[in-house]
Amino acid sequence: MGTQLDELKNTIREAARKAGFELSGIAPAHDSRELAYFPEWIAEGHAGEMKYMQARDERGGLKRASLSRVAPWAKSVIVCAINYNTAHPYSTQVNDPCHGWISRYAWSREDYHDAVLRRLREVEQAVWGGHSCPPTLTTRSYVDTGPVVERVYAKYAGIGWIGKNTCIINQKQGSWLFLGVILTSIELQPDLPAPDRCGTCTRCIDACPTAAIIAPYRLDSNRCISYLTIEKRGSIPEDLRAGMGRHIFGCDICQDVCPWNRKAPVSPAAEFEPRPGLVNPALSWLAEMSAEEFRQTFRGSPIRRTKLSGLRRNAAIAIGNSGNSELSPILDRLSTDPDESVAESARWAKRHLEKR
């Protein structure tokens, strides 16, 4: 049986490689000390308004705190990682007051959920077609959509270590990685966890403009620019707006400054190449984008998650932080917008711009 499982593990690794994943590994399905910390993180309110992170089972237990609550049949977790880096400057390398920043992962021509899940299904099929699979085999695949803390299992699958910015970092690939996981009822030999190589470095912590990394390996989502620009509905707290800079959707700063990304390779996957206009996009374009243009531009894109109102709200704040008075007329028009979160943000931005 051991030999058969070893062959199956090799089959899985080869299927992952053929599907386009740079990294793959096996983690045990049992709980870890990182998952034990999850309820404390929720209790402290660090998940913000992300209610899906707080989903509980019928007994009141947090689903993401233990796989046994959502998949008691799972014995192993197959973790696959694909590089999404592109040959374009980092956000810390550009400083154009007429333009904003969209996070690197959201530039892609295809929503990463679809691009990664398509590949992950190929690996899942390899499990089903593997050597002597039991008739009771069960599998389930997730790409950032299930009650699974993917980075924890990625660590124990040997994909990389969890950095002080809470991102998975691989010694050769860096941290520009999308993760996909397959839960399986087969108990496979796990890989060794990756050693933590952050050392004494605190560049990610020091670089965060809103002090969202409250301690090494601890993130307060309420202060994170990614959370504020994507998940937060309505008005953004005023004390955090200046720190948002010209970020429109997401934030890459803690990864941009990471030494392990200095020589990060470029992804060969064509679908991760940016759509036209999304690398350092014009603030004027985003601030006054129509509903139809939003639908056309971001069809099949994760940027739809922020909704048009969120995108325009973020653009107004970015203009306020730009120091570019030539964009002031746009704020005048937005200050009477029917959407109050947009209008209020524009009025704040106007005052902030005049002070710069």
Side-chain angles (χ1 to χ4, degrees), residues 18-316:
K18 288 182 177 179
F21 291 107
E22 279 84 7
L23 304 164
S24 63
I26 309 295
H30 62 64
D31 298 341
S32 63
R33 60 184 179 86
E34 289 86 358
L35 290 178
Y37 167 68
F38 186 74
E40 179 184 337
W41 185 76
I42 292 293
E44 291 173 344
H46 293 324
E49 297 174 7
M50 295 183 288
K51 298 301 182 184
Y52 63 89
M53 298 288 287
Q54 305 170 44
R56 297 177 183 270
D57 62 17
E58 62 277 3
R59 296 182 180 180
L62 287 163
K63 291 183 176 181
R64 280 177 168 77
S66 176
L67 260 186
S68 63
R69 293 187 178 132
V70 293
W73 47 265
K75 298 293 190 295
S76 297
V77 182
I78 302 166
V79 184
C80 298
I82 188 169
N83 169 22
Y84 66 86
N85 189 31
T86 56
H88 293 275
Y90 289 172
S91 67
T92 50
Q93 298 171 323
V94 295
N95 186 26
D96 187 334
C98 291
H99 292 76
W101 190 259
I102 289 174
S103 188
R104 205 169 204 83
Y105 84 88
W107 297 346
S108 58
R109 300 174 187 273
E110 181 181 10
D111 191 321
Y112 75 92
H113 295 92
D114 299 327
V116 179
L117 185 59
R118 184 177 66 253
R119 291 176 164 88
L120 201 62
R121 294 294 190 201
E122 294 182 37
V123 182
E124 188 176 16
Q125 285 300 311
V127 177
W128 280 90
H131 302 279
S132 302
C133 286
T136 56
L137 173 63
T138 304
T139 60
R140 196 169 297 162
S141 295
Y142 295 116
V143 179
D144 201 23
T145 53
V148 182
V149 185
E150 289 95 341
R151 65 180 179 274
V152 171
Y153 293 100
K155 169 186 173 178
Y156 287 98
I159 299 297
W161 69 94
I162 300 175
K164 291 177 182 176
N165 60 1
T166 74
C167 294
I168 278 288
I169 306 173
N170 179 271
Q171 188 173 359
K172 294 182 178 180
Q173 294 288 330
S175 66
W176 308 111
L177 297 169
F178 289 135
L179 300 175
V181 300
I182 303 172
L183 312 185
T184 176
S185 57
I186 302 175
E187 188 165 0
L188 297 165
Q189 179 66 35
D191 289 292
L192 293 175
D196 188 321
R197 297 183 184 275
C198 282
T200 59
C201 179
T202 59
R203 294 186 189 188
C204 58
I205 299 173
D206 300 336
C208 181
T210 53
I213 308 173
I214 55 178
Y217 316 105
R218 296 186 65 187
L219 177 75
D220 183 356
S221 297
N222 297 286
R223 304 188 64 84
C224 178
I225 295 173
S226 286
Y227 168 81
L228 294 171
T229 56
I230 301 172
E231 304 286 351
K232 183 76 174 74
R233 300 297 179 232
S235 294
I236 291 171
E238 282 196 30
D239 63 320
L240 297 175
R241 296 180 188 180
M244 290 168 58
R246 288 175 288 105
H247 287 84
I248 301 299
F249 185 93
C251 178
D252 295 329
I253 292 174
C254 67
Q255 297 187 80
D256 288 343
V257 301
C258 179
W260 292 103
N261 281 330
R262 285 176 182 165
K263 297 181 180 180
V266 171
S267 173
E271 59 266 48
F272 298 145
E273 284 297 316
R275 300 184 187 202
L278 295 196
V279 180
N280 209 25
L283 289 173
S284 57
W285 172 51
L286 298 174
E288 300 193 284
M289 182 174 283
S290 68
E292 180 57 28
E293 189 172 12
F294 179 81
R295 282 191 294 270
Q296 292 291 336
T297 304
F298 300 118
R299 180 177 286 114
S301 165
I303 295 176
R304 290 178 63 88
R305 185 170 181 81
T306 194
K307 303 185 185 302
L308 177 60
S309 60
L311 189 77
R312 296 170 70 238
R313 173 202 65 187
N314 299 340

